[in-house]
Amino acid sequence: EVECNPVVARALISACEEGGEWEKALHLFGVAVQSKVESNTATYNAAVTACKKGGKWKIALQLVSEMAHRKVELDTITFNAVISTCEKDGEWEKALRLSSVTSQSQLECSTITFSTAISACEKGGKWEKALEIFSAMSEMELESNTITLNTLISTCEKG
């Protein structure tokens, strides 16, 4: 019999999520929580990422709220996953609010954080905001990649 601990729980949740079984991933997360398995940042991140695959932005936001309530550390991966979940589900305003919170916090923003925020601007038709975000990215001396630049160009074209 294998004892369930945070490492095993994260591995199982991630395996389900990567296999396209986001519902099973979230179910396993729930079972782990009910079984009093200590949920850490990595376990929550796996569950939030599963939400992205399943288009469940509300659940992703609930998980982030629960993390804060339980004093589980939120990291760049957490925010990138929940921002991306909101952006992919058409909740671009929420994605932009979250990216704003991320850039104002002590968290280290990444190219992924900014690229996802620019993509949210594209979905919302906010080309001016996309340029602001790109400018902030440059000020932080983060390198843009092809995805970032293509998304920025597409956003401005649509604006």
Side-chain angles (χ1 to χ4, degrees):
E1 187 172 307
V2 175
E3 180 183 328
C4 193
N5 60 46
V7 174
V8 172
R10 187 207 50 81
L12 289 170
I13 294 165
S14 292
C16 289
E17 175 265 318
E18 288 171 13
E21 298 288 340
W22 62 269
E23 290 169 314
K24 287 181 183 170
L26 292 176
H27 175 73
L28 285 171
F29 178 79
V31 168
V33 169
Q34 288 176 348
S35 301
K36 306 273 192 255
V37 173
E38 178 190 344
S39 297
N40 59 22
T41 303
T43 309
Y44 272 97
N45 286 349
V48 171
T49 302
C51 290
K52 181 172 117 178
K53 295 277 171 92
K56 300 296 179 189
W57 63 271
K58 287 181 183 176
I59 295 172
L61 290 175
Q62 288 172 351
L63 289 170
V64 169
S65 177
E66 187 177 308
M67 287 175 79
H69 177 74
R70 292 179 180 229
K71 309 250 186 295
V72 176
E73 181 183 354
L74 290 94
D75 63 10
T76 304
I77 295 168
T78 310
F79 275 99
N80 286 350
V82 78
I83 291 167
S84 182
T85 301
C86 290
E87 177 268 327
K88 290 202 180 322
D89 291 343
E91 296 294 327
W92 59 270
E93 291 170 317
K94 286 178 181 48
L96 289 176
R97 269 197 301 275
L98 286 164
S99 66
S100 175
V101 167
T102 305
S103 63
Q104 293 170 7
S105 72
Q106 300 298 327
L107 291 174
E108 184 178 314
C109 293
S110 68
T111 300
I112 294 169
T113 310
F114 285 98
S115 294
T116 304
I118 291 169
S119 184
C121 290
E122 179 183 26
K123 294 230 172 36
K126 301 292 182 189
W127 65 271
E128 298 101 335
K129 184 69 175 170
L131 290 173
E132 266 179 51
I133 292 167
F134 184 73
S135 177
M137 183 178 177
S138 298
E139 287 172 17
M140 294 178 76
E141 298 181 358
L142 285 172
E143 282 191 38
S144 56
N145 58 26
T146 305
I147 295 169
T148 308
L149 295 173
N150 285 342
T151 305
L152 181 63
I153 291 166
S154 177
T155 304
C156 291
E157 280 179 341
K158 291 176 183 176

